[in-house]
Amino acid sequence: LCLLAAQFHAHEIDLPDAVLREAVAAIFQRDDLGFFVVAHDGGDAVGMAAVSFAWTLEHGGRSAWLDELYVLPERRGRGIGTALLREAVRHAAASGCAAVDLEVDRDHRRAEALYAREGFHPLPRSRWVRLLKEE
């Protein structure tokens, strides 16, 4: 939970702690919603990947959404992100997913380079959202 909170803070995503806790708990309670991969160094969590499942016609069925990939800043550059990504992709494939989708913040070249090295490619579109709970 601390790693997710740090990731959201770094990307200026304002999500109340209670809402984040509830969303994380749901994934732990229902493996059909998604999964987490956590990297440890000794007893400390140093990185994580959060994946949600979706049913998408574009990919012909179940696919995975790499919701978050985060490594503590002081631990970056050591292959942890690559290992997390590979394990998330492996687990998604083993779960019957046809594809893994993700988004990258504009100008986040380091993340783009990681995803490109691992076989991802950009799509010629932008992501849009309409929040429903605020209405």
Side-chain angles (χ1 to χ4, degrees):
L1 200 56
C2 292
L3 292 173
L4 278 169
Q7 169 77 333
F8 288 172
H9 177 73
H11 289 278
E12 299 178 5
I13 298 170
D14 186 27
L15 187 68
D17 287 343
V19 175
L20 178 58
R21 273 194 297 277
E22 187 177 315
V24 168
I27 290 176
F28 279 113
Q29 293 165 3
R30 293 188 43 200
D31 61 2
D32 62 314
L33 294 178
F35 61 91
F36 294 96
V37 179
V38 180
H40 292 91
D41 184 9
D44 299 325
V46 297
M48 64 92 215
V51 177
S52 299
F53 293 130
W55 191 265
T56 172
L57 300 176
E58 179 177 354
H59 299 307
R62 188 178 204 187
S63 47
W65 176 260
L66 181 62
D67 211 358
E68 302 297 335
L69 179 67
Y70 181 74
V71 176
L72 292 172
E74 64 272 15
R75 301 298 180 102
R76 293 178 185 160
R78 300 178 188 179
I80 297 168
T82 300
L84 285 166
L85 181 58
R86 288 178 179 168
E87 180 59 19
V89 168
R90 186 204 65 74
H91 190 79
S95 299
C97 292
V100 176
D101 287 285
L102 57 87
E103 68 181 8
V104 179
D105 283 349
R106 289 192 212 313
D107 301 321
H108 199 321
R109 301 295 179 240
R110 187 175 186 167
E112 288 178 349
L114 167 62
Y115 297 131
R117 279 193 316 269
E118 293 301 313
F120 288 80
H121 63 274
L123 297 173
R125 57 184 103 146
S126 61
R127 181 173 181 216
W128 291 34
V129 67
R130 176 179 170 185
L131 300 177
L132 300 177
K133 289 189 176 187
E134 294 180 2
E135 297 180 2

